[in-house]
Amino acid sequence: GYLTDDGKIWEYAGMTLELVDLLDAGDESMFSMYISCYDNIEEVATPVELVEAIYASMPDIEPQNPVDEFELFYIFASPGLQELMDAEIARHENGQMEVKYLFSVLVDGQEYDLEGLTITETFTDPVSKEVTASFTNFGVPTELVFIFIQPNDFWLLEDIQSRGEYPWSLFEILQN
């Protein structure tokens, strides 16, 4: 991602975000989250670099509900995942507080104290990649799989999954 010369737009994979709109709306915390994450991303990033940027940005946020952390990966999510995230964000903004899940999809828990984070590419083919983030959270071993697709020159996040004892898929949670 990059900040254009006018200092207003971040861009990744042809998608843009008017950061000035966030400030005009008085949403300085959201602005900070975007800046933090995109300071950690190159203009054309690999899936491993994108996942590294997400986790590098986590200490800078304090999510109040699960949709807050969408801001860490929204701009490089696939159009299908973005559409599902938009619908979930709209539900929260409209006061529909029944949530589809009550945990952070980035740590597979409600709170976090991550140790031993390793991020590795675990599957690859010409148009898709899987990146696994392994860590302990409060001493509990955890593995999350980030699934990326490459419909053009950029890698886009299609899903985040836990394949452990209690498997879940962010795409499927938001779809139901």
Side-chain angles (χ1 to χ4, degrees):
Y2 62 91
L3 196 56
T4 61
D5 292 338
D6 64 1
K8 296 181 182 176
I9 302 173
W10 280 94
E11 182 174 19
Y12 180 80
M15 295 173 277
T16 60
L17 172 68
E18 293 279 351
L19 293 179
V20 72
D21 291 344
L22 294 174
L23 290 177
D24 288 346
D27 197 344
E28 291 181 30
S29 63
M30 198 67 72
F31 178 84
S32 296
M33 282 192 270
Y34 275 114
I35 291 294
S36 175
C37 187
Y38 302 112
D39 276 347
N40 294 307
I41 298 174
E42 297 299 321
E43 185 173 343
V44 179
T46 68
V48 168
E49 290 168 336
L50 293 170
V51 174
E52 287 171 346
I54 291 170
Y55 283 99
S57 303
M58 281 186 63
D60 298 329
I61 69 164
E62 294 181 26
Q64 301 302 307
N65 62 60
V67 299
D68 288 348
E69 68 187 7
F70 289 171
E71 305 308 331
L72 291 175
F73 52 88
Y74 181 89
I75 203 166
F76 55 85
S78 69
L81 185 56
Q82 280 186 349
E83 184 178 323
L84 294 172
M85 290 189 293
D86 286 342
E88 188 70 3
I89 291 167
R91 287 175 63 252
H92 284 270
E93 289 174 351
N94 292 329
Q96 299 172 339
M97 297 310 292
E98 67 278 359
V99 292
K100 294 185 177 191
Y101 61 98
L102 292 171
F103 63 94
S104 164
V105 296
L106 300 176
V107 298
D108 201 8
Q110 292 181 332
E111 298 178 329
Y112 68 91
D113 181 23
L114 301 186
E115 293 184 10
L117 175 65
T118 60
I119 298 170
T120 55
E121 190 174 291
T122 51
F123 172 81
T124 186
D125 70 25
V127 294
S128 66
K129 290 188 186 292
E130 291 184 5
V131 174
T132 299
S134 303
F135 50 86
T136 60
N137 189 18
F138 292 105
V140 177
T142 305
E143 282 192 356
L144 298 176
V145 178
F146 294 75
I147 299 170
F148 288 86
I149 58 172
Q150 190 179 29
N152 50 41
D153 293 337
F154 297 90
W155 289 101
L156 301 176
L157 180 66
E158 180 72 5
D159 199 6
I160 301 173
Q161 299 178 352
S162 172
R163 297 178 180 167
E165 183 177 352
Y166 303 102
W168 53 262
S169 156
L170 177 60
F171 197 93
E172 289 177 7
I173 289 170
L174 295 176
Q175 202 170 36
N176 295 326

